[in-house]
Amino acid sequence: MNQSKQSPPIRRAGGHQQITMLVLRAILLSLSFVLSALDHSLPSFVPGVPGMSLGLANVVVLFALLFLNWKDAVFITVTKSIFVFFLRGPVSLLLSVSGGLLALFVEILLWKLSRGKVSLMLLSAAGAMSHNVGQIIAYALYARVAVWILIPPLAVMGIVSGVITAIVLKAIYPFMERWFRTHRSYEGEGTQ
Amino acid sequence: MTEQSTNRPVLSNKRDIIILMALLGVFGLWLLWSYVVAPALDEDTELAYAWVYHENTLLEKVALDGEVRVWNLTVPDDPDIEMEISSHADHSISVTASDCPDKVCVHTGKIHMKGQSIACLPNHVIVKIGTEEAPGGLGVDG
């Protein structure tokens, strides 16, 4: 009777793997919340340009895209935007989701088109620039204000923050690779 | 992860660095033109004005003549809106306090160039810088 109550070893291992991945997703989501809140608390880098931030949460989204899959990256982006809604209201939700989804779309497109050959710097910078572009398009449509003057500083900032994000990702890449190899739980389901 | 182990993305490569440098060059020059060269060329022309709107209704038009003032915005259609606007000695204007939840307008900081704007989207208040005759100066409203 005791034996019949026990799960088969393979199912036990599967459950463990699922829990491991669930915990990883929860950690990434929490991290994206914290980084997003931290980003917002910092003052604008250039006066007169709304939304000028480092885009720290982009590290987490890009990480999810590279190590998990695009669905997890979309999930983190959308859930982070909902968190932003509770924290700062519906307009911030609009800006967050428009920037986040455009950035993700460009990153996925670049990754797929280059078949994983694109460098982290270009991938991250393109994502950060698209994030800013998505935000100012939403801002312009909503507020009906001039936006051309905002494009150059946001684009330059996007490139700089994208390069910083890429360096951070490259630094943690070997550790995470080792972690995944140890847990051996998510073979072949990457962005590729 | 097997695939990622064999296909680890590189930090940078020559082609991508060239693309990034080209983008940085284009946007850097555009930035320099918009924020340094064009305002310098425009310096001797007419005084800039801040046009303050609530839902497309003009509330006030303020000359950015260097006079330091701090005032509370009065919105007849929505008296609950609480916003504090300041004009500064450097011919700029900023939203210094607002009851909106996101505070993007306050974080935007000072603006002084024609074509710049501050938008408090939750309160539907827009501050645009233009000339005495027209808001937005550059005429490139999105």
Side-chain angles (χ1 to χ4, degrees), chain A residues 40 44 47-50 66-67 88 91-92 115-122 125 129 139 142-146 148-149 151-153 155-156 159 166-167 170 173 177 180 186-188 190 192, chain B residues 1-5 7-13 15-16 19-20 23-24 27-28 30-31 34-35 101-102 104 107-108 110-111 113-119 121-122 124 126 128 140-142:
Chain A
H40 182 71
S44 184
V49 184
L66 294 174
F67 278 93
R88 303 199 293 268
V91 177
S92 292
R115 294 177 185 181
K117 299 288 181 201
V118 66
S119 70
L120 281 177
M121 267 191 191
L122 186 62
M129 282 175 70
Y139 177 79
Y142 192 93
R144 297 182 183 178
V145 291
W148 297 112
I149 204 157
I151 292 173
V156 170
I159 294 170
I167 291 168
K170 187 66 184 173
Y173 212 97
E177 232 178 12
F180 272 97
Y186 218 62
E187 290 188 24
Q192 293 98 324
Chain B
M1 274 316 296
T2 317
E3 288 173 89
Q4 276 134 5
S5 305
N7 191 21
R8 182 191 285 192
V10 293
L11 179 64
S12 61
N13 57 44
R15 181 199 61 185
D16 291 356
I19 294 172
L20 281 177
L23 285 172
L24 204 59
F27 288 112
W30 188 357
L31 183 72
S34 303
Y35 285 80
D102 57 20
V104 169
H107 288 166
T108 300
K110 294 178 183 178
I111 58 169
M113 288 162 47
K114 290 166 190 165
Q116 279 188 310
S117 58
I118 300 173
L121 302 183
H124 305 282
I126 311 282
K128 294 179 183 181
V140 286
D141 277 13

Coordinates of all heavy atoms in Angstrom, one line a residue, chain A residues 40 44 47-50 66-67 88 91-92 115-122 125 129 139 142-146 148-149 151-153 155-156 159 166-167 170 173 177 180 186-188 190 192, chain B residues 1-5 7-13 15-16 19-20 23-24 27-28 30-31 34-35 101-102 104 107-108 110-111 113-119 121-122 124 126 128 140-142:
Chain A
H40 N 12.1 53.8 -11.7 CA 11.2 55.0 -11.6 C 11.6 55.9 -10.5 O 11.3 57.2 -10.6 CB 9.8 54.5 -11.3 CG 8.8 55.6 -11.3 ND1 8.4 56.3 -12.4 CD2 8.1 56.1 -10.3 CE1 7.5 57.2 -12.1 NE2 7.3 57.1 -10.8
S44 N 15.1 61.8 -13.6 CA 15.3 61.8 -15.1 C 16.8 62.2 -15.4 O 17.3 63.2 -14.8 CB 14.3 62.8 -15.8 OG 14.5 62.7 -17.1
P47 N 16.8 66.6 -18.2 CA 15.6 67.4 -18.0 C 14.9 67.6 -19.3 O 15.5 67.8 -20.3 CB 16.2 68.7 -17.4 CG 17.6 68.4 -16.9 CD 18.1 67.3 -17.8
G48 N 13.6 67.6 -19.2 CA 12.7 67.9 -20.3 C 12.4 66.7 -21.1 O 11.7 66.8 -22.1
V49 N 12.9 65.5 -20.8 CA 12.6 64.3 -21.5 C 11.9 63.3 -20.6 O 12.6 62.7 -19.7 CB 13.9 63.7 -22.1 CG1 13.6 62.5 -23.0 CG2 14.6 64.7 -22.9
P50 N 10.6 63.1 -20.7 CA 9.9 62.2 -19.9 C 10.3 60.7 -20.2 O 10.6 60.4 -21.4 CB 8.5 62.4 -20.2 CG 8.5 63.0 -21.6 CD 9.7 63.7 -21.7
L66 N 16.5 34.7 -23.5 CA 17.6 33.8 -23.8 C 17.6 32.5 -23.1 O 18.0 31.5 -23.7 CB 18.9 34.6 -23.5 CG 19.2 35.8 -24.3 CD1 20.4 36.5 -23.8 CD2 19.4 35.5 -25.8
F67 N 17.2 32.5 -21.9 CA 17.3 31.2 -21.1 C 16.0 30.4 -21.0 O 16.0 29.2 -20.8 CB 17.8 31.5 -19.7 CG 19.2 31.7 -19.6 CD1 19.8 32.9 -19.7 CD2 20.1 30.6 -19.4 CE1 21.2 33.1 -19.6 CE2 21.4 30.7 -19.4 CZ 22.0 32.0 -19.5
R88 N 1.5 53.0 -10.2 CA 1.5 54.4 -10.8 C 0.3 54.8 -11.7 O 0.3 55.8 -12.2 CB 2.8 54.6 -11.6 CG 4.0 54.4 -10.7 CD 5.2 55.0 -11.4 NE 5.6 54.4 -12.6 CZ 6.5 53.4 -12.8 NH1 7.0 52.9 -11.7 NH2 6.8 52.9 -14.0
V91 N -2.0 55.3 -17.0 CA -1.2 55.9 -18.0 C 0.2 55.2 -18.0 O 0.7 54.9 -19.1 CB -1.0 57.4 -17.8 CG1 -0.1 58.0 -18.8 CG2 -2.4 58.1 -17.9
S92 N 0.7 55.0 -16.8 CA 2.0 54.3 -16.8 C 1.9 52.8 -17.3 O 2.8 52.3 -17.9 CB 2.5 54.2 -15.3 OG 2.8 55.5 -14.9
R115 N 19.2 34.0 -36.4 CA 19.3 32.6 -35.9 C 20.3 32.5 -34.7 O 21.2 31.7 -34.7 CB 19.8 31.6 -37.0 CG 18.8 31.5 -38.1 CD 19.2 30.7 -39.3 NE 18.2 30.7 -40.3 CZ 18.3 30.0 -41.4 NH1 19.4 29.3 -41.7 NH2 17.4 30.1 -42.4
G116 N 20.1 33.4 -33.8 CA 20.9 33.4 -32.6 C 22.4 34.0 -32.8 O 23.2 33.9 -31.9
K117 N 22.7 34.6 -34.0 CA 24.0 35.0 -34.2 C 24.2 36.5 -33.8 O 25.3 37.0 -33.9 CB 24.4 34.9 -35.7 CG 24.3 33.4 -36.2 CD 25.5 32.6 -35.7 CE 25.4 31.2 -36.2 NZ 26.2 30.3 -35.4
V118 N 23.1 37.2 -33.5 CA 23.2 38.6 -33.2 C 23.9 38.7 -31.8 O 23.8 37.9 -30.9 CB 21.8 39.2 -33.1 CG1 21.0 38.7 -32.0 CG2 21.9 40.8 -33.0
S119 N 24.7 39.8 -31.7 CA 25.5 39.9 -30.4 C 24.5 40.5 -29.3 O 23.5 41.1 -29.6 CB 26.6 40.9 -30.6 OG 26.2 42.2 -30.8
L120 N 24.9 40.2 -28.1 CA 24.1 40.7 -27.0 C 24.0 42.2 -27.0 O 22.9 42.8 -26.7 CB 24.7 40.3 -25.6 CG 24.5 38.8 -25.2 CD1 25.2 38.6 -23.9 CD2 23.0 38.6 -25.0
M121 N 25.0 42.9 -27.4 CA 25.0 44.4 -27.4 C 24.0 44.9 -28.3 O 23.2 45.8 -28.0 CB 26.4 44.9 -27.8 CG 27.3 45.2 -26.6 SD 28.7 46.2 -27.1 CE 29.7 46.1 -25.6
L122 N 23.9 44.4 -29.6 CA 23.0 44.9 -30.6 C 21.6 44.5 -30.2 O 20.6 45.3 -30.3 CB 23.3 44.3 -32.0 CG 22.5 44.9 -33.1 CD1 22.7 46.4 -33.2 CD2 22.8 44.3 -34.4
A125 N 20.6 46.7 -27.2 CA 20.4 48.1 -27.6 C 19.2 48.3 -28.4 O 18.5 49.3 -28.3 CB 21.7 48.6 -28.3
M129 N 16.2 50.7 -27.4 CA 15.7 51.8 -28.3 C 14.2 51.6 -28.6 O 13.4 52.6 -28.6 CB 16.5 51.8 -29.6 CG 17.9 52.5 -29.4 SD 18.9 52.3 -30.9 CE 18.0 53.5 -32.0
Y139 N 2.9 57.9 -25.8 CA 2.9 59.3 -25.2 C 2.3 60.3 -26.2 O 1.4 61.1 -25.9 CB 4.3 59.6 -24.8 CG 4.5 61.0 -24.1 CD1 4.2 61.2 -22.8 CD2 5.1 62.0 -24.9 CE1 4.4 62.5 -22.2 CE2 5.3 63.3 -24.3 CZ 5.0 63.5 -23.0 OH 5.2 64.7 -22.4
Y142 N -1.4 59.7 -27.0 CA -2.3 60.0 -25.9 C -2.3 61.5 -25.6 O -3.4 62.1 -25.4 CB -1.8 59.2 -24.6 CG -2.8 59.2 -23.5 CD1 -3.7 58.2 -23.3 CD2 -2.8 60.3 -22.6 CE1 -4.6 58.2 -22.3 CE2 -3.7 60.3 -21.5 CZ -4.6 59.2 -21.4 OH -5.5 59.3 -20.4
A143 N -1.2 62.1 -25.6 CA -1.1 63.5 -25.2 C -1.2 64.5 -26.3 O -1.5 65.7 -26.1 CB 0.2 63.8 -24.4
R144 N -1.0 64.0 -27.5 CA -1.1 64.8 -28.8 C -0.1 66.0 -28.7 O -0.4 67.1 -28.8 CB -2.5 65.3 -29.0 CG -3.4 64.2 -29.3 CD -4.8 64.6 -29.6 NE -5.6 63.5 -29.8 CZ -6.9 63.6 -30.1 NH1 -7.5 64.8 -30.2 NH2 -7.7 62.5 -30.2
V145 N 1.2 65.6 -28.4 CA 2.2 66.6 -28.2 C 3.4 66.3 -29.2 O 3.4 65.2 -29.7 CB 2.8 66.7 -26.8 CG1 1.8 67.3 -25.9 CG2 3.3 65.4 -26.3
A146 N 4.2 67.3 -29.4 CA 5.4 67.1 -30.3 C 6.3 66.0 -29.7 O 6.6 66.0 -28.5 CB 6.1 68.4 -30.4
W148 N 9.1 64.7 -31.8 CA 10.4 64.5 -32.6 C 11.6 64.9 -31.8 O 12.6 64.3 -31.9 CB 10.3 65.4 -33.9 CG 9.2 64.9 -34.8 CD1 8.1 65.6 -35.1 CD2 9.1 63.7 -35.5 NE1 7.3 64.9 -35.9 CE2 7.9 63.7 -36.2 CE3 10.0 62.6 -35.6 CZ2 7.5 62.6 -37.0 CZ3 9.5 61.5 -36.4 CH2 8.3 61.5 -37.1
I149 N 11.4 65.9 -31.0 CA 12.5 66.5 -30.2 C 13.0 65.5 -29.1 O 14.1 65.5 -28.6 CB 12.2 67.8 -29.6 CG1 13.4 68.6 -29.3 CG2 11.3 67.7 -28.4 CD1 13.2 70.1 -29.3
I151 N 13.1 62.2 -29.6 CA 13.6 60.9 -30.2 C 15.2 60.8 -30.0 O 15.7 59.8 -29.5 CB 13.2 60.8 -31.7 CG1 11.7 60.5 -31.8 CG2 14.0 59.7 -32.4 CD1 11.2 60.5 -33.2
P152 N 16.0 61.9 -30.3 CA 17.4 61.8 -30.2 C 17.9 61.4 -28.8 O 18.7 60.4 -28.7 CB 18.0 63.1 -30.7 CG 16.9 63.9 -31.3 CD 15.6 63.2 -30.9
P153 N 17.5 62.1 -27.7 CA 18.0 61.7 -26.4 C 17.6 60.3 -26.0 O 18.4 59.6 -25.4 CB 17.4 62.8 -25.5 CG 16.3 63.5 -26.2 CD 16.6 63.3 -27.7
A155 N 16.9 57.8 -28.0 CA 17.6 56.8 -28.8 C 19.1 56.6 -28.3 O 19.5 55.5 -28.1 CB 17.7 57.3 -30.3
V156 N 19.7 57.8 -28.0 CA 21.1 57.7 -27.5 C 21.1 57.0 -26.1 O 21.9 56.1 -25.9 CB 21.7 59.1 -27.3 CG1 23.1 59.1 -26.6 CG2 22.0 59.7 -28.7
I159 N 20.7 53.2 -26.6 CA 21.9 52.5 -27.0 C 22.8 52.3 -25.7 O 23.3 51.2 -25.5 CB 22.7 53.3 -28.1 CG1 21.8 53.3 -29.4 CG2 24.0 52.7 -28.4 CD1 22.3 54.2 -30.5
A166 N 23.7 44.5 -21.8 CA 24.4 43.4 -22.4 C 25.6 43.0 -21.6 O 25.9 41.8 -21.4 CB 24.8 43.8 -23.8
I167 N 26.3 43.9 -21.0 CA 27.5 43.6 -20.2 C 27.1 42.8 -19.0 O 27.7 41.9 -18.6 CB 28.3 44.9 -19.9 CG1 28.9 45.5 -21.1 CG2 29.4 44.6 -18.8 CD1 29.5 46.9 -21.0
K170 N 26.1 39.3 -20.0 CA 27.3 38.5 -20.4 C 28.0 38.1 -19.1 O 28.5 36.9 -19.1 CB 28.2 39.3 -21.3 CG 29.4 38.6 -21.8 CD 28.9 37.5 -22.8 CE 30.1 36.7 -23.3 NZ 29.6 35.5 -24.1
Y173 N 26.0 35.2 -17.5 CA 25.6 34.1 -18.5 C 26.3 32.8 -18.0 O 25.6 31.8 -17.9 CB 26.1 34.5 -19.9 CG 25.2 33.9 -20.9 CD1 24.1 34.6 -21.5 CD2 25.4 32.5 -21.3 CE1 23.3 34.0 -22.4 CE2 24.5 32.0 -22.3 CZ 23.5 32.7 -22.9 OH 22.7 32.2 -23.8
E177 N 24.2 29.4 -17.0 CA 24.4 28.2 -17.9 C 24.8 27.0 -17.0 O 24.2 25.9 -17.2 CB 25.6 28.5 -18.9 CG 25.2 28.2 -20.3 CD 26.3 28.5 -21.2 OE1 27.4 28.7 -20.8 OE2 26.0 28.5 -22.4
F180 N 21.7 25.9 -15.1 CA 20.7 25.1 -15.9 C 21.3 23.7 -16.2 O 20.6 22.7 -16.2 CB 20.5 25.8 -17.3 CG 19.4 26.8 -17.2 CD1 19.6 28.2 -17.0 CD2 18.1 26.4 -17.3 CE1 18.6 29.1 -16.9 CE2 17.0 27.3 -17.3 CZ 17.3 28.6 -17.0
Y186 N 15.4 21.9 -18.6 CA 14.7 22.7 -19.6 C 15.3 22.6 -21.0 O 15.5 23.5 -21.7 CB 14.7 24.1 -19.1 CG 13.4 24.8 -19.3 CD1 12.2 24.4 -18.7 CD2 13.3 25.9 -20.2 CE1 11.0 25.0 -18.9 CE2 12.1 26.6 -20.4 CZ 11.0 26.1 -19.8 OH 9.8 26.8 -20.0
E187 N 15.7 21.3 -21.3 CA 16.5 21.2 -22.5 C 15.7 21.5 -23.8 O 14.6 21.1 -24.0 CB 17.0 19.7 -22.6 CG 18.0 19.4 -21.6 CD 18.6 18.1 -21.8 OE1 18.6 17.6 -22.9 OE2 19.1 17.5 -20.8
G188 N 16.4 22.3 -24.6 CA 15.9 22.6 -25.9 C 14.7 23.5 -26.1 O 14.2 23.7 -27.1
G190 N 14.6 26.8 -25.5 CA 15.0 28.2 -25.5 C 14.3 29.0 -26.5 O 13.4 28.5 -27.2
Q192 N 15.5 29.8 -29.3 CA 15.8 29.3 -30.6 C 14.6 28.5 -31.2 O 14.4 27.5 -31.2 CB 17.1 28.5 -30.7 CG 18.3 29.3 -30.3 CD 18.7 29.2 -28.9 OE1 17.9 29.1 -28.0 NE2 20.0 29.2 -28.7
Chain B
M1 N 18.5 23.9 -22.7 CA 19.8 24.6 -22.5 C 20.9 24.0 -23.3 O 21.9 24.6 -23.4 CB 20.1 24.6 -21.0 CG 19.5 25.8 -20.2 SD 19.6 27.3 -21.1 CE 21.4 27.6 -21.2
T2 N 20.7 22.8 -23.8 CA 21.7 22.2 -24.6 C 22.1 23.1 -25.8 O 23.3 23.3 -26.1 CB 21.3 20.8 -25.2 OG1 20.6 20.2 -24.1 CG2 22.5 20.0 -25.6
E3 N 21.0 23.6 -26.4 CA 21.3 24.5 -27.6 C 22.0 25.8 -27.2 O 22.9 26.2 -27.9 CB 19.9 24.9 -28.2 CG 19.3 23.7 -28.9 CD 17.9 24.1 -29.4 OE1 17.8 24.7 -30.5 OE2 16.9 23.9 -28.6
Q4 N 21.7 26.3 -26.0 CA 22.3 27.5 -25.6 C 23.8 27.3 -25.2 O 24.6 28.2 -25.4 CB 21.6 28.1 -24.4 CG 20.4 29.0 -24.8 CD 19.2 28.7 -24.0 OE1 19.2 27.9 -23.0 NE2 18.1 29.2 -24.4
S5 N 24.1 26.1 -24.8 CA 25.5 25.8 -24.4 C 26.3 25.8 -25.7 O 27.5 26.2 -25.6 CB 25.5 24.4 -23.7 OG 24.7 24.4 -22.6
N7 N 25.5 27.4 -28.4 CA 25.2 28.6 -29.2 C 25.2 29.8 -28.3 O 24.2 30.5 -28.2 CB 23.9 28.5 -30.0 CG 23.8 29.6 -31.0 OD1 24.7 30.2 -31.4 ND2 22.5 29.8 -31.4
R8 N 26.2 29.9 -27.4 CA 26.3 31.0 -26.5 C 26.4 32.4 -27.2 O 27.3 32.5 -28.0 CB 27.4 30.8 -25.5 CG 27.5 31.9 -24.5 CD 28.8 31.8 -23.7 NE 28.9 30.7 -22.8 CZ 29.8 30.5 -21.8 NH1 30.8 31.4 -21.7 NH2 29.8 29.5 -21.0
P9 N 25.5 33.3 -27.0 CA 25.6 34.6 -27.7 C 26.9 35.4 -27.3 O 27.3 35.4 -26.1 CB 24.4 35.4 -27.3 CG 23.9 34.7 -26.1 CD 24.4 33.3 -26.1
V10 N 27.5 36.0 -28.2 CA 28.7 36.8 -27.9 C 28.3 38.2 -27.4 O 27.2 38.7 -27.8 CB 29.6 36.9 -29.2 CG1 30.2 35.6 -29.6 CG2 28.9 37.6 -30.3
L11 N 29.2 38.8 -26.7 CA 28.9 40.2 -26.2 C 28.8 41.2 -27.3 O 27.9 42.0 -27.4 CB 29.9 40.6 -25.2 CG 29.7 42.0 -24.6 CD1 28.4 42.1 -23.8 CD2 30.9 42.4 -23.7
S12 N 29.8 41.1 -28.2 CA 29.7 42.0 -29.4 C 30.5 41.4 -30.5 O 31.4 40.5 -30.3 CB 30.4 43.3 -29.0 OG 31.7 43.1 -28.6
N13 N 30.3 41.8 -31.7 CA 31.1 41.4 -32.8 C 31.3 42.7 -33.7 O 30.6 43.7 -33.5 CB 30.6 40.3 -33.6 CG 29.2 40.5 -34.1 OD1 28.9 41.6 -34.6 ND2 28.3 39.6 -34.0
R15 N 30.7 43.5 -36.8 CA 29.5 44.0 -37.6 C 28.5 44.8 -36.7 O 28.1 45.9 -37.0 CB 28.8 42.9 -38.2 CG 27.6 43.2 -39.1 CD 26.7 42.0 -39.3 NE 26.2 41.5 -38.0 CZ 25.5 40.4 -37.9 NH1 25.2 39.7 -38.9 NH2 25.0 40.0 -36.7
D16 N 28.2 44.2 -35.5 CA 27.2 44.8 -34.6 C 27.8 46.1 -34.0 O 27.0 47.1 -33.8 CB 26.8 43.8 -33.6 CG 26.0 42.7 -34.1 OD1 25.7 42.7 -35.3 OD2 25.6 41.8 -33.4
I19 N 27.3 48.8 -36.6 CA 25.9 49.2 -36.6 C 25.6 50.1 -35.5 O 24.9 51.2 -35.6 CB 24.9 48.0 -36.6 CG1 25.1 47.1 -37.9 CG2 23.5 48.4 -36.5 CD1 24.4 45.8 -37.9
L20 N 26.0 49.7 -34.3 CA 25.7 50.6 -33.1 C 26.4 51.9 -33.2 O 25.8 53.0 -32.8 CB 26.2 49.8 -31.8 CG 25.3 48.7 -31.3 CD1 25.9 48.0 -30.1 CD2 23.9 49.3 -30.9
L23 N 24.4 54.1 -35.6 CA 23.2 54.6 -34.9 C 23.5 55.7 -33.9 O 22.9 56.7 -33.9 CB 22.5 53.4 -34.2 CG 21.8 52.4 -35.1 CD1 21.3 51.2 -34.2 CD2 20.6 53.1 -35.8
L24 N 24.6 55.5 -33.1 CA 25.0 56.4 -32.1 C 25.4 57.8 -32.8 O 25.1 58.8 -32.3 CB 26.2 55.9 -31.3 CG 26.4 56.4 -29.9 CD1 25.1 56.3 -29.1 CD2 27.6 55.8 -29.3
F27 N 22.1 59.5 -34.3 CA 21.2 60.1 -33.2 C 22.0 61.1 -32.4 O 21.4 62.1 -31.9 CB 20.7 59.0 -32.3 CG 19.6 58.2 -33.0 CD1 19.7 56.9 -33.3 CD2 18.4 58.8 -33.3 CE1 18.8 56.2 -34.0 CE2 17.4 58.1 -34.0 CZ 17.6 56.8 -34.3
G28 N 23.3 61.0 -32.3 CA 24.2 61.9 -31.6 C 24.2 63.3 -32.3 O 24.1 64.3 -31.7
W30 N 21.9 64.3 -34.4 CA 20.5 64.8 -34.3 C 20.3 65.5 -32.9 O 19.7 66.6 -32.8 CB 19.5 63.7 -34.5 CG 18.1 64.1 -34.6 CD1 17.5 65.3 -34.5 CD2 17.0 63.2 -34.9 NE1 16.2 65.3 -34.6 CE2 15.8 64.0 -34.9 CE3 16.8 61.8 -35.1 CZ2 14.5 63.5 -35.1 CZ3 15.6 61.3 -35.3 CH2 14.4 62.1 -35.3
L31 N 20.8 64.9 -31.9 CA 20.8 65.4 -30.5 C 21.5 66.7 -30.4 O 21.0 67.7 -29.9 CB 21.4 64.4 -29.6 CG 21.3 64.7 -28.1 CD1 19.9 64.6 -27.5 CD2 22.3 63.8 -27.3
S34 N 19.4 69.4 -32.3 CA 18.2 69.8 -31.7 C 18.4 70.5 -30.4 O 17.6 71.4 -30.1 CB 17.3 68.5 -31.4 OG 17.1 67.8 -32.5
Y35 N 19.4 70.1 -29.6 CA 19.5 70.7 -28.3 C 20.6 71.7 -28.1 O 20.7 72.4 -27.1 CB 19.7 69.6 -27.3 CG 18.5 68.8 -27.0 CD1 18.0 67.8 -27.9 CD2 17.7 69.0 -25.9 CE1 16.8 67.1 -27.6 CE2 16.5 68.3 -25.6 CZ 16.1 67.4 -26.5 OH 14.9 66.7 -26.3
P101 N -0.8 60.1 -10.0 CA -0.1 59.0 -9.3 C 1.3 58.7 -9.9 O 2.2 58.2 -9.2 CB -1.0 57.8 -9.6 CG -1.8 58.2 -10.8 CD -1.9 59.7 -10.8
D102 N 1.6 59.0 -11.2 CA 2.8 58.6 -11.8 C 4.0 59.6 -11.7 O 5.1 59.3 -11.7 CB 2.7 58.1 -13.2 CG 2.1 59.2 -14.1 OD1 2.1 60.4 -13.7 OD2 1.5 58.8 -15.2
V104 N 5.1 61.6 -13.7 CA 6.0 61.8 -14.9 C 6.2 63.2 -15.2 O 7.3 63.7 -15.6 CB 5.3 61.0 -16.1 CG1 6.1 61.4 -17.4 CG2 5.4 59.5 -15.9
H107 N 8.8 64.6 -12.9 CA 10.1 64.0 -13.3 C 10.7 64.6 -14.6 O 11.8 64.5 -14.9 CB 10.0 62.5 -13.4 CG 9.9 61.9 -12.0 ND1 9.5 60.6 -11.8 CD2 10.0 62.4 -10.8 CE1 9.4 60.3 -10.5 NE2 9.7 61.4 -9.9
T108 N 9.7 65.1 -15.5 CA 10.2 65.6 -16.7 C 11.2 66.8 -16.5 O 12.1 67.0 -17.3 CB 9.0 66.1 -17.6 OG1 8.2 64.9 -17.8 CG2 9.5 66.6 -18.9
K110 N 12.7 70.7 -16.1 CA 12.5 72.0 -16.7 C 12.5 71.9 -18.2 O 13.3 71.1 -18.8 CB 13.7 72.9 -16.3 CG 13.7 73.4 -14.9 CD 14.9 74.2 -14.7 CE 15.2 74.7 -13.3 NZ 16.4 75.5 -13.2
I111 N 11.7 72.6 -18.9 CA 11.8 72.7 -20.4 C 11.9 74.2 -20.8 O 11.3 75.0 -20.1 CB 10.5 72.0 -21.1 CG1 9.2 72.6 -20.6 CG2 10.5 70.5 -20.8 CD1 8.0 72.2 -21.4
M113 N 12.8 74.9 -24.5 CA 13.0 75.0 -26.0 C 11.6 74.9 -26.7 O 10.8 74.1 -26.3 CB 13.9 73.9 -26.5 CG 15.3 74.1 -26.2 SD 16.3 72.6 -26.3 CE 15.7 72.0 -27.9
K114 N 11.5 75.7 -27.8 CA 10.3 75.6 -28.5 C 10.1 74.2 -29.1 O 11.1 73.6 -29.7 CB 10.3 76.6 -29.7 CG 10.2 78.0 -29.2 CD 10.5 79.1 -30.2 CE 10.6 80.4 -29.6 NZ 11.3 81.4 -30.4
G115 N 8.9 73.6 -28.9 CA 8.7 72.2 -29.4 C 8.7 71.2 -28.2 O 8.2 70.1 -28.4
Q116 N 9.3 71.6 -27.1 CA 9.3 70.7 -25.9 C 7.9 70.8 -25.2 O 7.2 71.8 -25.4 CB 10.3 71.1 -24.9 CG 11.7 70.6 -25.3 CD 12.7 70.9 -24.1 OE1 12.8 72.0 -23.6 NE2 13.5 69.9 -23.8
S117 N 7.6 69.8 -24.5 CA 6.3 69.8 -23.8 C 6.4 69.0 -22.5 O 7.3 68.1 -22.3 CB 5.2 69.2 -24.7 OG 5.6 67.9 -25.0
I118 N 5.5 69.3 -21.6 CA 5.4 68.4 -20.4 C 3.9 68.0 -20.4 O 3.0 68.8 -20.6 CB 5.6 69.3 -19.1 CG1 7.0 69.8 -19.0 CG2 5.4 68.4 -17.8 CD1 7.2 70.8 -17.9
A119 N 3.7 66.7 -20.2 CA 2.4 66.2 -20.2 C 2.1 65.5 -18.9 O 2.8 64.6 -18.5 CB 2.2 65.2 -21.4
L121 N -0.5 63.3 -18.0 CA -1.5 62.5 -18.7 C -2.7 62.2 -17.8 O -3.9 62.3 -18.2 CB -1.0 61.2 -19.4 CG 0.2 61.5 -20.4 CD1 0.6 60.2 -21.0 CD2 -0.3 62.5 -21.5
P122 N -2.5 61.8 -16.5 CA -3.7 61.5 -15.7 C -4.6 62.7 -15.5 O -5.8 62.5 -15.4 CB -3.0 61.0 -14.4 CG -1.7 60.6 -14.7 CD -1.2 61.5 -15.8
H124 N -4.7 65.2 -17.7 CA -5.0 65.8 -19.0 C -4.5 67.2 -19.1 O -5.2 68.0 -19.7 CB -6.5 65.7 -19.3 CG -7.1 64.3 -19.2 ND1 -7.0 63.4 -20.1 CD2 -7.8 63.7 -18.2 CE1 -7.6 62.2 -19.7 NE2 -8.1 62.4 -18.5
I126 N -1.4 69.6 -20.4 CA -0.2 69.7 -21.3 C 0.4 71.1 -21.2 O -0.4 72.1 -21.3 CB -0.6 69.4 -22.7 CG1 -1.5 68.1 -22.9 CG2 0.7 69.3 -23.6 CD1 -0.8 66.8 -22.7
K128 N 3.0 73.2 -23.4 CA 3.8 73.2 -24.6 C 4.5 74.5 -24.7 O 4.0 75.6 -24.4 CB 2.8 73.1 -25.8 CG 2.1 71.8 -26.0 CD 1.2 71.9 -27.2 CE 0.4 70.6 -27.4 NZ -0.5 70.6 -28.6
V140 N 5.4 70.3 -35.0 CA 5.5 68.8 -35.3 C 4.7 68.0 -34.3 O 5.1 67.0 -33.8 CB 6.9 68.3 -35.4 CG1 7.6 68.8 -36.6 CG2 7.7 68.8 -34.1
D141 N 3.5 68.5 -34.0 CA 2.7 67.8 -33.0 C 2.4 66.4 -33.5 O 2.0 66.1 -34.6 CB 1.3 68.5 -32.8 CG 1.5 69.6 -31.8 OD1 2.7 70.0 -31.5 OD2 0.5 70.1 -31.3
G142 N 2.6 65.4 -32.5 CA 2.4 64.0 -32.9 C 0.9 63.7 -32.8 O 0.6 62.6 -33.0

